[in-house]
Structure formats: C-alpha cells, structure tokens
Amino acid sequence: EVQLVESGGGLVQPGRSLRLSCTASGFIFGDYALSWVRQAPGKGLEWVGFIRSKAYGGTTEYAASVKGRFTISRDDSKSIAYLQMNSLKIEDTAVYYCTRYDSWGQGTLVTVSS
Amino acid sequence: DIQMTQSPSSLSASVGDRVTITCRASQGIRNDLAWYQQKPGKAPKRLIYAASSLQTGVPSRFSGSGSGTEFTLTISSLQPEDFATYYCLQHNSYPRTFGQGTKVEIK
C-alpha cells in the first residue's frame, strides 16, 4: 500500500525557516516524481512545487508564490522528499500535502504568525 | 499560466440527483486533467485521471469527459457519501493549477 507521511509542521514566526519531510513507503520511491500542494484555512488547493525522479534529472518546478523561497529536494536512499521553506510569510499558513497525484499524505499544518 | 475556471462554486442537490461540474482551461490542455474529491479535514482523493479514466476503487457513478479546454465531472446518482468539495487539476504545463473548487451540499 502506498503511504506518504508528512512531518515537520508547526508554528513559526514570519521571516523564519521550516523544513517539511514526506516519508514514503509501499512503492519504489526513486521511480516517482513528488509534488507539494498546500491549502490555506478555508481555501482551495494550491500547487506549490514538484521534483522529478532522478531518471528525469531530479529537477524541480515551483509556483511563482514560493519561487526563490522554497526548495524541494529528495533522498531516494531514505524514501524522503523535503520542502525547505525560507523567509516564511503569514500567507504561507496552510496544510501542506505531499502527493504523487494518485496518493496523498495526511498533510501537516504550518502556521506562520508572530 | 493556465487558469482553470470551475463552476459552479457550490450547489445543493438531493440524494439520487445527477450532478455536473465543469472546468474550463484558459488554453488547450489535451486530456491532462484530473478530478479530486475532498472531505473536511481530509486529504484530496483522486476520482478521475486523464480526463475520463476512473481511478481504481472509485464507484462507477463518477465519470469524466472532455478534452482541450472544457471538462466535466458527472455524478450520475448522488449518494450521501458524495457530499464534499470537488477540484479539477491540470497537469499539462507548469505551474500546475487547480480549479477553485465546487462544494456539493445537501438540499
């Protein structure tokens, strides 16, 4: 069974950093691209970014709202994807999901507040 | 960026009703579209991929159609467990974009 489990969320002050992890199981992690999607409280889904598998260069794509502040990486040996979030803003407050698009994690809440 | 315009934003329907939700893309996306269902406090669940292919395990009352710029999700006979919010997602180009969502409520 495919499982994705996010961790690392919490309360952080504006301007600070936070790193989220997505731990995968049940499939060959290195064969798949992974995406991050977020959902602000009471709002719709927003695509954050994406990392390709190593077979496709392991390259990344980002939404304009996070480009230059967020970085996605992966450690295929540990079956973990990361979302490094720097220079956090209040508007980054959301539940963050990692997803293969056919499978999703349960999400982790990031609250940016002073 | 490709804009996905989803309509309606909400609807009220009764059990047994036929429900149709539409997504329009601002430019052609072939059939690179998925539909998701989300219930409160839960992660989205994919219902349809490649515009019209039913995800394994999803009831056959759900169907998708369309190609290019106009897409439809149809629930042929609404069941109590179908009351939720539905989103379309285009994966034709970056950035990926979701529709604004359609909340299906009980009449």
Side-chain angles (χ1 to χ4, degrees):
Chain A
E1 179 194 5
V2 172
Q3 279 204 309
L4 299 167
V5 179
E6 302 92 339
S7 59
L11 175 63
V12 61
Q13 292 179 325
R16 304 298 291 265
S17 299
L18 200 63
R19 188 179 79 163
L20 306 183
S21 299
C22 171
T23 302
S25 61
F27 64 102
I28 302 173
F29 181 78
D31 287 353
Y32 285 83
L34 263 289
S35 297
W36 288 91
V37 172
R38 68 184 180 183
Q39 187 168 38
K43 302 297 185 183
L45 300 169
E46 179 187 14
W47 183 83
V48 171
F50 164 90
I51 186 165
R52 296 175 177 84
S53 66
K54 290 290 196 312
Y56 290 88
T59 52
T60 53
E61 306 283 347
Y62 298 97
S65 58
V66 307
K67 197 168 187 177
R69 299 189 299 123
F70 288 14
T71 302
I72 299 172
S73 60
R74 63 190 299 154
D75 184 339
D76 290 352
S77 69
K78 296 180 179 178
S79 297
I80 300 178
Y82 300 100
L83 178 64
Q84 177 68 43
M85 304 185 292
N86 299 332
S87 304
L88 281 161
K89 305 176 181 180
I90 290 175
E91 53 264 38
D92 294 320
T93 294
V95 174
Y96 284 75
Y97 297 100
C98 69
T99 177
R100 264 182 22 174
Y101 293 133
D102 60 342
S103 299
W104 293 62
Q106 83 289 350
T108 188
L109 175 63
V110 173
T111 303
V112 184
S113 173
S114 53
Chain B
D1 297 3
I2 296 175
Q3 309 303 318
M4 301 302 296
T5 303
Q6 189 173 337
S7 61
S9 56
S10 66
L11 64 90
S12 294
S14 301
V15 172
D17 283 354
R18 182 180 183 88
V19 169
T20 299
I21 299 168
T22 298
C23 259
R24 287 190 175 87
S26 59
Q27 62 191 75
I29 59 169
R30 303 181 305 184
N31 70 336
D32 298 331
L33 184 111
W35 289 97
Y36 291 88
Q37 177 193 67
Q38 188 181 33
K39 296 182 178 179
K42 299 294 187 182
K45 172 188 173 183
R46 192 168 73 175
L47 303 175
I48 301 288
Y49 64 95
S52 60
S53 295
L54 190 67
Q55 182 72 33
T56 301
V58 173
S60 58
R61 62 181 180 273
F62 291 94
S63 64
S65 64
S67 182
T69 61
E70 187 145 343
F71 302 86
T72 299
L73 174 70
T74 299
I75 310 172
S76 60
S77 178
L78 199 65
Q79 297 302 299
E81 59 269 31
D82 301 337
F83 292 95
T85 302
Y86 294 83
Y87 296 92
C88 62
L89 167 69
Q90 70 80 17
H91 55 91
N92 177 265
S93 67
Y94 294 101
R96 307 309 199 203
T97 42
F98 288 91
Q100 305 94 312
T102 296
K103 187 172 184 179
V104 177
E105 298 175 302
I106 302 172
K107 184 182 281 186

